Amino acid sequence: MEYSLKLAHLYGDLLNTYGDIGNILTLQYYAKQMGVSLEADVVSLDEPFDADKYDLFFFGGGQDYEQMIVSKDIQAKKDQLIKFIEDGGPGLAICGGYQLLGQYYIGADGQKIAGISALPHYTKSQDNHRFIGDITIKNEVSQTTYHGFENHNGVTYLGAGEKPLGTVLTGHGNNGEDGGEGAIYNNVYCSYFHGPILARNGQLAKEMLLTALKRKYPTADFSKQEALEIKPTY
Ligand code: GLN
């Protein structure tokens, strides 16, 4: 392979309830077609996240119990994660991971689970209710339509500097009120889509890989990789 990238799979052994690992398999599937070897490391409890060692990160979803464990540990990784994100490092955070990159998540039992405030959103709890089902959104800027499946108790409200990943066409999205789903901040994408999001929306996987490649190899020509055709899989 001509290029190599390294991905940090944050707490891949704890936040893995919803098959989100399919996102890493999808990244590897497209990476191979782009002439890129993509190595993934699980970075979990008591292990450092080194912003200079990784080219992209993935942070999946899970249950409130695991999120509480991760909430305590991730405070030690906070500074390096913020450094990576502020420096334009690409990442994808789904559901529980999305909530933990923000300020906090009030869990289903009312407990406040601290995030790392890398992104300014916060997440409250619905009263004995979850948003579950198929969802379709559209990003008005890129005109991209995303298809997925949501399953969350949390209701998230975006803050300054964040834009939604898309506007809800069908389904509930971040909070069922403001019509937004997910978040984009710098080169980090957040979403409530399980299913997993990249398997059904390959364009997003391609974008993440291109961002990581251009950041790691600033003088290389990636026009061949940019031309890779992504066939719809939904
Ligand atoms: N436990 C969180 C919630 O219910 C996250 C769930 C998830 O990752 N799907 O909102």
Side-chain angles (χ1 to χ4, degrees):
M1 294 281 177
E2 212 174 337
Y3 303 101
S4 65
L5 293 173
K6 226 169 151 54
L7 175 142
H9 185 185
L10 297 173
Y11 305 98
D13 53 346
L14 288 166
L15 297 177
N16 57 9
T17 322
Y18 301 88
D20 294 327
I21 192 148
N23 288 307
I24 296 179
L25 298 178
T26 307
L27 284 166
Q28 284 170 332
Y29 173 77
Y30 289 118
K32 198 169 159 197
Q33 294 176 46
M34 291 165 116
V36 178
S37 77
L38 177 67
E39 193 189 319
D41 282 350
V42 171
V43 179
S44 191
L45 301 179
D46 297 323
E47 291 164 354
F49 170 81
D50 179 349
D52 296 325
K53 188 172 158 192
Y54 293 103
D55 305 302
L56 60 172
F57 72 81
F58 174 68
F59 197 2
Q63 287 151 331
D64 290 9
Y65 179 75
E66 281 79 11
Q67 276 183 260
M68 281 191 276
I69 297 169
V70 170
S71 162
K72 291 198 186 85
D73 184 87
I74 199 173
Q75 303 307 327
K77 299 180 181 50
K78 172 178 172 165
D79 292 351
Q80 286 290 305
L81 278 166
I82 290 177
K83 180 178 168 213
F84 183 81
I85 292 169
E86 288 303 316
D87 191 52
L92 174 66
I94 300 298
C95 210
Y98 172 20
Q99 295 167 352
L100 285 167
L101 285 188
Q103 297 182 49
Y104 59 82
Y105 163 48
I106 308 289
D109 294 338
Q111 71 282 35
K112 188 170 184 174
I113 303 173
I116 57 167
S117 298
L119 276 62
H121 57 263
Y122 60 91
T123 304
K124 296 193 300 193
S125 186
Q126 304 182 65
D127 244 355
N128 235 336
H129 187 259
R130 300 181 73 81
F131 288 149
I132 304 175
D134 287 319
I135 171 164
T136 307
I137 64 171
K138 184 168 183 177
N139 185 294
E140 304 295 346
V141 181
S142 66
Q143 293 290 307
T144 313
T145 303
Y146 297 95
H147 300 263
F149 185 88
E150 60 182 334
N151 179 358
H152 53 113
N153 159 65
V155 279
T156 298
Y157 298 87
L158 300 189
E162 286 180 300
K163 294 225 158 22
L165 180 64
T167 304
V168 176
L169 301 178
T170 58
H172 301 282
N174 281 337
N175 49 49
E177 294 164 35
D178 62 20
E181 201 292 319
I184 304 177
Y185 177 87
N186 289 354
N187 288 319
V188 173
Y189 298 97
C190 299
S191 175
Y192 274 112
F193 284 26
H194 296 288
I197 186 168
L198 297 183
R200 292 176 74 183
N201 305 278
Q203 193 59 31
L204 190 55
K206 179 179 160 184
E207 255 163 59
M208 287 181 67
L209 290 166
L210 280 171
T211 304
L213 284 170
K214 288 177 187 170
R215 200 167 158 260
K216 181 164 179 193
Y217 304 98
T219 57
D221 173 16
F222 290 114
S223 42
K224 231 174 58 198
Q225 284 76 4
E226 295 203 12
L228 177 74
E229 198 195 331
I230 308 282
K231 296 195 188 76
T233 50
Y234 47 83

